[in-house]
Amino acid sequence: MNAQQAMTAGSRAAPRVAWLLCGLSLVLIAGAVAFAFFNRDGFWESVRLLALVSSALVGGMVASRRPVNPVGWFLLVSATCFAIVVFTERYAKYGLLTEPGSLPLAKAMAWLPQWLWVPGAVLMLVFLPLYFPDGRLISRRWRWVVRFAAFLSVFNAVFSAFQPGDVQGTGLVNPMGVVALGTLPWVIDAVQLSLWLGLLLVSAASLVVRF
C-alpha cells in the first residue's frame, strides 16, 4: 500500500472511528447518569453529566466530516476522556461506598478518574483554542506551546495516577497511590498550577492574535 492509498483508507475509516468514539461516550454518559441516580447524587449532577453530550455530538460530527481538522478530534477525544471519568467514578462510588462489594472491579475503576481528566482538560482548554478554527497553528513559533503542554500533561497525568489519597474529592481512595508521594503534592501542585495558568493565558491569547 502506497502513501496515497493509505491516506484514502484513513479518510474512509475516520468517520467510523469518530462515530464509534461518539457512541462510546454517549453510552458511558448514560451509564454515569444511571449510577448518579443510584448513588443519590442529585438532579443537578445528572444535568452536568448530560452537558458532555453536546461535546461528544459536535466532536463526532466535525471529526467525521472534516477528519483532517484536529479541532473535531480534540472535542471528541476530550468528551470520551471525561465520559470515562464520570462513568468509572460513579461506578466505583456505587461499588465501594453506596453498596460495597456489589460490583466487580470497582476498586480498579477508582483509579481512572484520578488521572484521565488531564488529557481531557488539556485537549479542550489548551489545544482546542490553539488550533481553532482551521486546524492550524498561527505560525511555527507557537509549536513550543504545544510541546510544553504535551510534556506537562504527561507529567501531570503520571503524577496524579500515583498520588495517594482521595480521588477528586469523591471519598474514594486511589488504589495505585504511592505513600511516599504524600509529602510532595502541595509543592508540585503549586508549580503545576502556575504553569497551567500560564498555558491557558497563552492559549487564549492565540485566539486574540488570530482574529
Side-chain angles (χ1 to χ4, degrees), residues 46-195:
S46 298
V47 172
R48 187 175 70 86
L49 294 177
L50 290 174
L52 285 174
V53 173
S54 60
S55 181
L57 290 174
V58 173
M61 182 171 294
V62 175
S64 63
R65 293 174 179 267
R66 297 288 187 270
V68 296
N69 188 333
V71 168
W73 295 105
F74 293 154
L75 276 171
L76 184 56
V77 176
S78 175
T80 303
C81 288
F82 281 121
I84 295 173
V85 167
V86 296
F87 174 78
T88 54
E89 182 181 285
R90 283 147 187 81
Y91 181 100
K93 184 177 179 180
Y94 185 85
L96 296 175
L97 301 179
T98 305
E99 294 290 340
S102 60
L103 295 174
L105 302 176
K107 189 174 182 179
M109 289 289 193
W111 182 59
L112 293 176
Q114 180 72 5
W115 62 273
L116 197 56
W117 65 271
V118 177
V122 172
L123 289 172
M124 180 69 72
L125 299 178
V126 178
F127 282 74
L128 182 62
L130 284 171
Y131 284 87
F132 182 84
D134 60 2
R136 295 184 179 89
L137 293 173
I138 301 172
S139 68
R140 292 183 177 182
R141 289 180 297 180
W142 290 79
R143 289 181 179 178
W144 71 269
V145 182
V146 176
R147 296 191 184 102
F148 185 69
F151 167 78
L152 189 58
S153 62
V154 170
F155 176 83
N156 196 176
V158 172
F159 179 77
S160 297
F162 299 102
Q163 187 173 341
D166 191 286
V167 178
Q168 304 298 318
T170 59
L172 301 170
V173 177
N174 182 8
M176 298 293 288
V178 177
V179 178
L181 297 177
T183 58
L184 297 177
W186 72 271
V187 178
I188 296 179
D189 286 346
V191 174
Q192 286 193 125
L193 178 60
S194 61
L195 293 176

